[in-house]
Amino acid sequence: MRRLWQFFSQTLYGRLLLLTSLPLILLAVLLTTSVLSDERFDVQREYQDAGVAVATYLAATSDFALYSGDEELLHTLAMSMSELAQIEAVIFLNFNREVLVSSFVGQAPWSDLLPEDIGRDPLAIGGRLYIERPVVISGVEIEDYGDKQSPQSETAAITGWVIVVVDMSAIEAERQAILLRNGGTAVGLLVLVFFLSLILSRGMLAPITSLKTAVEAIESGDLEAQVEPTGVNELAALGRGINYMARSIADNHRGLEQRVRSATSRLQMSLQALQLKNVELEEERQKAEEANQAKSDFLARMSHELRTPLSSIQGFVRLLEQSGLDASEQQYCTIIEQAAEQLLLLINDILEHARLQSGAMELDLQPLEIIACIESPVRLLGPSAYEKNIEVIIDVDPELPVFLYGDSQRLRQVVSNLVANAIKFTERGHILVRLMNGGVVDDQVTLVLEVEDTGIGMSAQQQEKVFEAFTQADTTITRRFGGTGLGLSIVQTLVALMGGEITLHSEESVGTTVRVSASLALQVGHRQIGQLSASIAVFDPLAVSRQSLGHAIQRMTNDLRLYGHFDVLVKDLVMRDIDAIVINLPIDEFEHSLSDMLVRLREFTHVPIFVFLPLRGLRGKAAFNISGIEGLDITYLVKPWATTEFFTIYNTLKHGSPIGSGAAVPLKNVKVLVAEDNDFSRLLLSTLLEKAGCELQAVDNGREALVLCEQSAFDLLVFDVHMPELNGIDALVEIRASGGLNTATPAVVLTADVLQHEDRLDSLPGRNKMMHKPFDNTRLIELILTLLNKQPCRMPLQAVATQRIPLAQFFQEVEKLLASAVEAYQERDIGLLREITHQLLGIAGVFKQGELEKQIKALHTLIKEEDAWVGDALQAVEQELAHLKAEAGEEGL
Amino acid sequence: MQEHKVNLLARTLTGIVLSVFTLFASADRRSVYLLLSGEQPYYQQVSQVFERALAEQPNGPRILASGLDQSLQVAAGSMVVAIGSRASEFALKRFSKADIISLLMPVAAWDELHKHLPGLGRRAAVVIDQPLQRALTLGQLLVPNARQVGAVFGPISVGKRTHLLRVVQHRGMELVYADMGSADNPIGVLSPLVQKSDLFIAVADRAVFNKSVAKWLLYLSFRQKVSVIGFSQSYAKAGALGAVYSSPENIGRHGAELVMKLLAQEQDEPSVAQLWGTNYPKYYTLAINREVARALNIRVPELETLYREFQALLESYR
């Protein structure tokens, strides 16, 4: 069908055929239809006319027979008429419309015919036509003079009726015959017309078809094809034209081919030259990359090589400081120390930059608590800001999801760089670190970090270059503030690595705001802390920090009141129920005496009071005028504030004071043998267990433990796995096998190796449990209680443990182990390095120094995998330790 | 409407003029008022023949022709000639004191009219009905071998039965007849009668013998090959073998002669007195349907011969 349509609509032949045959076909169809219609009508009329004629004739001739009731005569009349083809039957009715004679065969529709006269018009019932005429008795004129009055009416009288039945089915048969006859003629005519059109079209199109064939041949590339100049004049001229055109095209084609060949050979030559160039360029590029790699390697190596002697310089300067120097010599030492510190920072920056530039860095996405991650570097840098009397405020959006996935180390690096920069260029005012929720889409949080300062600011020109490496806003800045100018460049690279954006807005003498936004994946299924029903009052004269503090406290309660004026707070204390008071005062000025304020508050309320102070303030209470008010039961918290501080508030309000009087001693009188080779770990364990009420004996290797076990019975054995001479598990195996006093004594085996399994313990008799280091105090106590079948304890043991062990001792132990690790690394003693790292891992978590623990874990992993970055990881641990020490130093611990 | 007013005025004026003229003329010449029943040609023909015949007379009366005008006044003792039934009825009603002569009336109709409107004046009529012996004579002439003569009588014509019976018998033939009432089936009556007859005489009786019955008679007689003698020219045309009748000329001529006689002999002579009554037409006309004759295989002589033979035969039985 579609091909037929295409033939008629898209070919000249088809169109011409259509043009010639269509009018003829239409004419033939119209004529046939008209003739058919006329003939069919004529047949019907002929039948009807015949019926009417017969009825009229019979009406005129049957009057006598009807009048005289001569049925024989009537029957003769009826039968004579029934012989006609059109007439099926004749019926005679008398004056009362009763049937006298009927030649009808079958059942006539008497009910329709007899009741009253049908009228002049034929009546169609079923397939028959009934024509009725009245039979009127007519007379003959016998009077010559018509006006003579007649006593009887001379008008014609009806004496009966004649009904003629015409068979219409005969009409239908005749109609079909007509249709067949005329239809056949029409079809014959159409076929004739079609073939005539076909012949006509062919004759007309033959020259055109010849032209088309030639054109198609030319189209398919046969440029030598020629048209036979036949047909009518116009087509012959067209044929000659096509021939001429084909020859021209052929000539042009040959010329073009020649030109293309020539151009192609030229192009090939150019391509060869280009390929040669490319090879040279590739070689150059490889050289450049190698040179760049060499530079990066050189920088990394040099940085490391530079730091080693620098560490010595710093160490010896510190020793020199403690060697009884006079004041001027002490000052020289301080200068050397500061210079060395600056140099170290510079080297670190260069190293970091080199690593970033080499593209070797990849993000280590881990689950993290974003607030703690951001707070940590701010808190580290807080003291240096407070030194300059600059307020440091952390403002966290209460709607920000806390548990995310990210590279915490790099995030800290970003924050650290930005905050350090801000501190560097700010002389007064504040630094606001704002953490905001930029929106959550498909479990991705857009984290927005803003670091705003009230520092010297930058001009537009300076802002343009600020992200370039080794660039500072101004050379005078380098002179005035120091630094390498790598900070922002590193930050920008790190943010780009995270797929984020960094923008900077600055105004000279007003301040600078750096805004970083990055998309972090959301952890699912984390429980949020429950809201408190407590009403908390916040007093802070500075609007910015008051608002930030409010945001932080909003996370734990909705019933929050912010006060900028102390008097209003005091007034509200009388008027309202307030469950706790949080106070933060600006660092640079105090309109009120803090001690006076606290005393006054205590006059009105006994609810917990929390005061945020910088470490410096806590160390020298006099500076904040809080000496002499120890009896007021005030809780002092460290600023810049962090989540841990707010947890203190939260726990106090929820459970009461963390350090209750009369703390429980759940392991009272439990005899314990501790075997641990590391002094610090041993001390830690001893302190914890003694505090829990244990009677304790401690040894530093397995062999000694065996000896003690032979001498006395213990309630519990706590052994480290890694010990010289005899390790913990082997010692336990021997004790269990000896059949001595402690064969069935429950044992806890401690190990820092996460790959260590309990398989060997399972095969030993007695109750043996393994715990991984760093252990959680509470869990260890609970485990011991379980082993001893005692009731679990609810006491906050961590505070107890840390209270007894000085932080300095912890640092000292870590430093010692770290120094050994560096030595082992330099000597490439991997076994020793792994052992030391293992020990480091064991004690790192004790003081909840999360970042340090994380760094050590990273180091542990790198050593296991014998990664090239072990040196860097060691440095990172050293750096973290230095930060922690610096912080602790502020506290004077 | 205007035309109607003009006609009314013209008639009134004519009436007045006639009345005045009558007053002055009555002394020496009698006037005869002539009234026509309508505009039909046969009334006109009767009128024309009547007037012409009177005009030919030396002392002919003055003819005053008029339509049936309600304003017409007739002087007492005047003679009024009415042509046709309507004119006769008009004259009898309007001019009861005048002498009235009716022309071209069926005898039964005239008798009926005369009985209901007697009046003070004298009455005479020339009717169109023929004496039955004329029809019988023509039948005898055309069908000489006829022995059985058929006839049907209705309530009006039943009085003629005896007369015809006598005439037929007188001529040596037998009358086969039947009486037919209005309730009788004419075919039932006619069919056996025709079968028995050699010749059928149609007796005018408008009570039952209408056009249809005439047709049945003609049809049956044709089927039985029986000759029918009718009483009008129309009967002959319709299929009767022949007919004896009086034409308008016959009646007009008879009427003129009657008027002249009545005017001339006004004295109380017995012959004249007889004339004041019903007069059968003196003159007659014979009509032959030659097609029927051919169908019945009857030879009919030329008309002149026929008249002569007819007259001779008629005279022979007188």
Side-chain angles (χ1 to χ4, degrees):
Chain A
M1 198 63 176
R2 198 175 162 189
R3 291 177 65 183
L4 205 65
W5 167 250
Q6 279 182 344
F7 171 72
F8 280 115
S9 64
Q10 292 179 6
T11 65
L12 199 57
Y13 190 31
R15 285 189 179 192
L16 196 60
L17 194 61
L18 210 62
L19 202 66
T20 50
S21 60
L22 200 64
L24 290 172
I25 288 169
L26 278 176
L27 197 65
V29 168
L30 276 174
L31 281 173
T32 309
T33 312
S34 168
V35 166
L36 268 177
S37 170
D38 287 353
E39 283 203 25
R40 283 161 72 89
F41 181 72
D42 286 350
V43 167
Q44 187 168 358
R45 202 165 56 187
E46 182 190 318
Y47 267 68
Q48 191 171 322
D49 289 352
V52 171
V54 168
T56 309
Y57 170 73
L58 285 177
T61 55
S62 63
D63 52 352
F64 176 76
L66 260 178
Y67 193 80
S68 61
D70 188 347
E71 291 185 13
E72 195 181 341
L73 183 56
L74 288 173
H75 190 258
T76 308
L77 282 170
M79 292 314 289
S80 67
M81 288 304 154
S82 297
E83 283 173 10
L84 290 172
Q86 297 93 333
I87 308 302
E88 187 183 3
V90 176
I91 301 161
F92 286 107
L93 307 179
N94 66 11
F95 183 74
N96 296 320
R97 290 192 75 79
E98 292 162 350
V99 179
L100 276 180
V101 169
S102 167
S103 65
F104 200 88
V105 179
Q107 184 61 46
W110 300 123
S111 56
D112 289 318
L113 301 176
L114 293 181
E116 53 186 339
D117 60 356
I118 297 168
R120 301 289 299 175
D121 295 329
L123 174 69
I125 299 172
R128 297 185 177 93
L129 211 58
Y130 295 87
I131 300 154
E132 183 188 85
R133 288 290 179 270
V135 179
V136 178
I137 301 171
S138 56
V140 291
E141 189 55 64
I142 52 171
E143 300 287 349
D144 287 343
Y145 313 113
D147 80 326
K148 291 150 194 134
Q149 300 227 330
S150 170
Q152 191 179 349
S153 171
E154 292 281 329
T155 52
I158 292 172
T159 188
W161 284 267
V162 60
I163 296 174
V164 172
V165 184
V166 178
D167 185 8
M168 298 300 277
S169 62
I171 294 180
E172 206 47 52
E174 197 156 334
R175 278 178 173 179
Q176 281 180 2
I178 289 167
L179 186 67
L180 210 64
R181 195 169 59 242
N182 288 323
T185 312
V187 168
L189 202 64
L190 288 179
V191 170
L192 189 68
V193 163
F194 184 79
F195 278 106
L196 275 175
S197 303
L198 201 69
I199 292 162
L200 198 66
S201 304
R202 270 200 184 149
M204 283 178 75
L205 286 174
I208 296 174
T209 310
S210 161
L211 284 176
K212 180 181 149 239
T213 312
V215 169
E216 278 175 350
I218 292 165
E219 203 175 56
S220 62
D222 180 11
L223 296 176
E224 302 303 326
Q226 291 290 295
V227 180
E228 285 292 325
T230 55
V232 292
N233 289 342
E234 290 88 343
L235 292 175
L238 187 61
R240 284 194 296 277
I242 287 170
N243 287 343
Y244 174 73
M245 192 172 69
R247 281 195 296 277
S248 301
I249 290 170
D251 292 345
N252 283 337
H253 189 68
R254 280 191 286 275
L256 269 175
E257 275 182 346
Q258 184 58 39
R259 283 205 290 278
V260 166
R261 271 197 295 276
S262 141
T264 307
S265 63
R266 282 203 300 279
L267 196 63
Q268 276 173 345
M269 283 165 67
S270 300
L271 268 175
Q272 282 168 358
L274 268 175
Q275 278 170 348
L276 281 173
K277 280 277 178 209
N278 273 343
V279 170
E280 286 170 14
L281 278 173
E282 181 60 24
E283 285 170 359
E284 290 297 323
R285 193 184 66 80
Q286 280 177 358
K287 280 180 192 168
E289 277 186 1
E290 281 166 11
N292 196 26
Q293 188 61 40
K295 183 200 79 181
S296 294
D297 291 349
F298 171 75
L299 275 174
R301 204 161 43 247
M302 282 308 291
S303 301
H304 192 262
E305 294 304 323
L306 281 168
R307 270 201 304 191
T308 313
L310 203 55
S311 299
S312 305
I313 291 168
Q314 283 181 312
F316 283 108
V317 166
R318 283 193 201 115
L319 286 175
L320 202 61
E321 274 182 312
Q322 294 161 6
S323 62
L325 299 174
D326 61 23
S328 58
E329 285 167 338
Q330 282 279 358
Q331 199 179 355
Y332 298 151
C333 281
T334 308
I335 291 165
I336 293 168
E337 201 174 11
Q338 284 174 352
E341 183 68 27
Q342 278 181 7
L343 194 57
L344 189 65
L345 286 172
L346 178 67
I347 290 163
N348 283 343
D349 275 358
I350 290 169
L351 183 66
E352 189 67 26
H353 181 71
R355 283 178 62 192
L356 284 170
Q357 289 304 307
S358 69
M361 187 178 288
E362 283 182 8
L363 290 179
D364 177 22
L365 298 180
Q366 296 289 337
L368 58 83
E369 191 189 339
I370 190 67
I371 299 174
C373 183
I374 302 300
E375 282 170 349
S376 168
V378 180
R379 276 166 71 89
L380 279 178
L381 291 164
S384 57
Y386 293 133
E387 284 290 338
K388 295 172 76 176
N389 273 352
I390 302 165
E391 187 70 66
V392 178
I393 305 158
I394 302 174
D395 184 4
V396 180
D397 184 351
E399 300 301 321
L400 179 72
V402 176
F403 298 101
L404 308 172
Y405 287 94
D407 188 332
S408 65
Q409 190 185 340
R410 299 305 159 197
L411 278 168
R412 286 159 56 91
Q413 208 172 345
V414 167
V415 177
S416 186
N417 269 314
L418 291 177
V419 175
N421 249 9
I423 294 169
K424 195 191 285 182
F425 296 109
T426 304
E427 294 300 332
R428 63 176 184 282
H430 67 262
I431 291 163
L432 175 61
V433 180
R434 194 180 278 137
L435 201 55
M436 292 175 289
N437 182 3
V440 181
V441 178
D442 295 337
D443 289 341
Q444 289 281 326
V445 181
T446 305
L447 181 75
V448 179
L449 170 74
E450 271 185 11
V451 178
E452 174 191 303
D453 66 50
T454 52
I456 57 168
M458 279 177 278
S459 66
Q461 201 178 1
Q462 288 167 336
Q463 286 174 40
E464 285 175 11
K465 295 192 288 181
V466 80
F467 289 111
E468 291 175 15
F470 305 104
T471 302
Q472 282 188 329
D474 190 317
T475 47
T476 57
I477 288 171
T478 314
R479 287 196 294 277
R480 190 172 152 201
F481 298 99
T484 57
L486 283 171
L488 276 177
S489 171
I490 290 169
V491 168
Q492 191 187 32
T493 312
L494 285 173
V495 170
L497 197 63
M498 291 174 194
E501 287 178 359
I502 183 164
T503 54
L504 184 138
H505 173 76
S506 186
E507 204 173 325
E508 279 184 296
S509 306
V510 174
T512 302
T513 302
V514 182
R515 183 187 172 98
V516 170
S517 63
S519 183
L520 300 185
L522 194 64
Q523 287 184 51
V524 287
H526 271 285
R527 191 168 57 85
Q528 299 289 326
I529 59 165
Q531 286 275 307
L532 294 170
S533 58
S535 171
I536 300 177
V538 171
F539 168 64
D540 190 335
L542 189 64
V544 178
S545 53
R546 183 168 65 239
Q547 194 182 12
S548 306
L549 198 53
H551 286 160
I553 291 175
Q554 260 180 20
R555 286 182 173 270
M556 55 179 106
T557 181
N558 284 326
D559 192 357
L560 171 72
R561 283 152 202 180
L562 300 173
Y563 296 93
H565 297 283
F566 185 69
D567 294 338
V568 180
L569 168 65
V570 172
K571 204 179 288 174
D572 268 15
L573 279 178
V574 181
M575 302 296 288
R576 297 167 187 266
D577 286 334
I578 288 174
D579 298 313
I581 300 167
V582 178
I583 296 172
N584 178 54
L585 295 176
I587 193 86
D588 51 353
E589 57 172 317
F590 294 108
E591 287 179 5
H592 310 88
S593 158
L594 180 58
S595 58
D596 288 351
M597 271 198 284
L598 295 174
V599 169
R600 192 155 169 228
L601 285 176
R602 273 287 171 253
E603 287 172 9
F604 290 98
T605 181
H606 295 285
V607 298
I609 298 174
F610 302 91
V611 179
F612 278 104
L613 287 177
L615 279 174
R616 182 165 57 101
L618 288 174
R619 187 178 56 189
K621 289 177 180 172
F624 286 88
N625 200 11
I626 54 171
S627 54
I629 53 166
E630 287 80 0
L632 291 180
D633 191 16
I634 308 295
T635 306
Y636 295 101
L637 302 169
V638 177
K639 62 188 274 190
W641 49 71
T643 313
T644 51
E645 318 294 343
F646 295 109
F647 271 133
T648 307
I649 299 173
Y650 182 84
N651 285 328
T652 304
L653 292 176
K654 194 167 186 182
H655 306 296
S657 177
I659 310 163
S661 56
V665 277
L667 300 174
K668 195 169 183 182
N669 299 329
V670 174
K671 283 183 73 179
V672 182
L673 173 62
V674 172
E676 167 64 80
D677 62 330
N678 183 280
D679 297 339
F680 182 78
S681 294
R682 194 169 60 247
L683 174 64
L684 190 68
L685 265 174
S686 305
T687 312
L688 173 68
L689 294 174
E690 280 174 356
K691 178 65 193 169
C694 294
E695 290 174 16
L696 189 107
Q697 277 191 281
V699 292
D700 62 1
N701 65 62
R703 189 62 61 197
E704 287 179 27
L706 270 181
V707 174
L708 277 178
C709 280
E710 283 167 10
Q711 292 167 359
S712 50
F714 293 96
D715 297 322
L716 179 72
L717 305 175
V718 180
F719 291 177
D720 183 33
V721 173
H722 293 272
M723 285 189 292
E725 295 193 34
L726 185 64
N727 75 32
I729 292 177
D730 291 339
L732 195 59
V733 169
E734 284 192 28
I735 291 166
R736 293 282 187 249
S738 67
L741 294 168
N742 294 297
T743 313
T745 306
V748 176
V749 178
L750 299 169
T751 177
D753 189 352
V754 290
L755 300 173
Q756 189 90 41
H757 294 301
E758 290 188 332
D759 301 349
R760 280 191 73 192
L761 291 181
D762 290 344
S763 60
L764 291 177
R767 306 182 71 184
N768 311 306
K769 281 288 169 189
M770 178 172 279
M771 181 166 264
H772 288 98
K773 292 182 188 175
F775 51 80
D776 182 88
N777 293 350
T778 312
R779 285 185 56 208
L780 179 63
I781 297 295
E782 280 177 357
L783 178 64
I784 293 169
L785 286 169
T786 311
L787 284 170
L788 298 175
N789 295 325
K790 286 180 181 286
Q791 285 299 313
C793 154
R794 297 290 171 209
M795 195 187 72
L797 287 160
Q798 184 200 346
V800 173
T802 51
Q803 207 174 32
R804 285 271 182 98
I805 301 165
L807 196 55
Q809 200 174 345
F810 166 72
F811 288 145
Q812 207 175 352
E813 180 66 20
V814 174
E815 254 178 354
K816 192 182 87 184
L817 285 170
L818 204 53
S820 308
V822 170
E823 201 174 328
Y825 172 68
Q826 284 169 349
E827 290 171 7
R828 299 289 184 261
D829 186 349
I830 299 301
L832 182 61
L833 187 58
R834 194 176 293 146
E835 185 68 32
I836 295 165
T837 314
H838 192 84
Q839 288 189 18
L840 270 173
L841 206 55
I843 63 171
V846 176
F847 282 80
K848 296 293 172 196
Q849 299 299 338
E851 194 55 35
L852 182 67
E853 187 184 348
K854 203 169 174 182
Q855 298 279 13
I856 293 170
K857 272 184 181 169
L859 177 65
H860 188 244
T861 312
L862 289 172
I863 291 166
K864 271 184 138 176
E865 293 171 4
E866 299 187 358
D867 196 280
W869 291 103
V870 170
D872 288 329
L874 269 172
Q875 280 178 14
V877 175
E878 282 177 335
Q879 202 173 348
E880 182 61 31
L881 184 62
H883 280 302
L884 288 173
K885 277 177 74 183
E887 194 178 340
E890 293 290 334
E891 291 182 65
L893 295 172
Chain B
M1 185 63 99
Q2 205 170 2
E3 192 181 344
H4 178 71
K5 282 180 181 174
V6 170
N7 284 342
L8 198 66
L9 191 64
R11 281 183 206 163
T12 312
L13 284 173
T14 312
I16 293 166
V17 168
L18 278 174
S19 304
V20 171
F21 187 79
T22 308
L23 286 173
F24 287 100
S26 59
D28 50 348
R29 278 179 73 184
R30 284 287 303 266
S31 295
V32 173
Y33 295 90
L34 186 61
L35 304 178
L36 269 68
S37 288
E39 300 295 322
Q40 282 87 341
Y42 38 85
Y43 295 134
Q44 300 293 338
Q45 286 168 11
V46 173
S47 167
Q48 284 166 10
V49 171
F50 177 78
E51 285 186 68
R52 196 169 55 238
L54 285 183
E56 286 170 358
Q57 298 298 321
N59 295 319
R62 186 174 293 111
I63 307 295
L64 299 172
S66 170
L68 305 180
D69 188 356
Q70 294 292 334
S71 61
L72 182 65
Q73 298 292 321
V74 177
S78 297
M79 183 176 283
V80 177
V81 175
I83 303 171
S85 301
R86 285 182 62 218
S88 300
E89 190 177 359
F90 178 80
L92 287 171
K93 279 182 182 172
R94 295 271 297 142
F95 315 119
S96 58
K97 292 176 183 174
D99 295 332
I100 296 169
I101 297 157
S102 176
L103 302 179
L104 207 70
M105 278 280 283
V107 67
W110 169 249
D111 287 345
E112 186 75 15
L113 208 57
H114 191 212
K115 198 168 90 180
H116 285 100
L117 301 166
L120 297 173
R122 290 170 293 185
R123 307 287 184 256
V126 177
V127 298
I128 55 173
D129 297 68
Q130 303 294 317
L132 284 173
Q133 51 265 46
R134 286 185 187 170
L136 190 63
T137 303
L138 182 60
Q140 269 188 301
L141 189 64
L142 294 174
V143 189
N145 298 327
R147 288 290 167 264
Q148 307 280 335
V149 177
V152 169
F153 299 97
I156 297 170
S157 60
V158 74
K160 296 178 180 176
R161 190 174 67 197
T162 313
H163 172 65
L164 183 60
L165 192 63
R166 199 172 55 243
V167 172
V168 169
Q169 283 175 346
H170 177 66
R171 295 191 183 185
M173 292 183 289
E174 185 188 355
L175 182 68
V176 184
Y177 69 91
D179 292 338
M180 188 164 70
S182 57
D184 290 331
N185 183 343
I187 293 169
V189 176
L190 286 172
S191 191
L193 208 58
V194 171
Q195 279 183 352
K196 289 178 193 167
S197 307
D198 302 321
L199 176 70
F200 201 95
I201 303 299
V203 181
D205 186 328
R206 290 171 187 85
V208 291
F209 223 82
N210 56 20
K211 292 176 182 179
S212 306
V213 179
K215 184 181 159 189
W216 304 145
L217 173 66
L218 290 171
Y219 178 72
L220 288 168
S221 62
F222 182 73
R223 283 176 67 183
Q224 299 293 330
K225 301 270 184 194
V226 174
S227 303
V228 177
I229 303 301
F231 49 75
S232 65
Q233 191 182 19
S234 299
Y235 225 127
K237 281 182 184 169
L241 175 65
V244 183
Y245 70 99
S246 292
S247 66
E249 290 82 3
N250 296 148
I251 298 294
R253 189 176 163 197
H254 187 179
E257 286 176 5
L258 182 64
V259 167
M260 282 307 295
K261 278 181 186 169
L262 291 174
L263 287 176
Q265 302 166 2
E266 282 188 1
Q267 295 79 13
D268 294 333
E269 291 175 20
S271 60
V272 173
Q274 271 185 351
L275 292 175
W276 288 106
T278 302
N279 298 280
Y280 282 93
K282 183 180 169 185
Y283 305 104
Y284 57 87
T285 304
L286 296 179
I288 298 296
N289 189 330
R290 293 190 183 271
E291 294 298 319
V292 175
R294 254 196 300 280
L296 294 174
N297 207 18
I298 292 170
R299 198 193 61 81
V300 181
E302 288 303 309
L303 211 52
E304 202 178 331
T305 314
L306 188 69
Y307 269 102
R308 202 171 48 245
E309 286 177 359
F310 179 81
Q311 195 60 40
L313 189 60
L314 197 60
E315 289 297 328
S316 68
Y317 287 112
R318 194 156 286 180

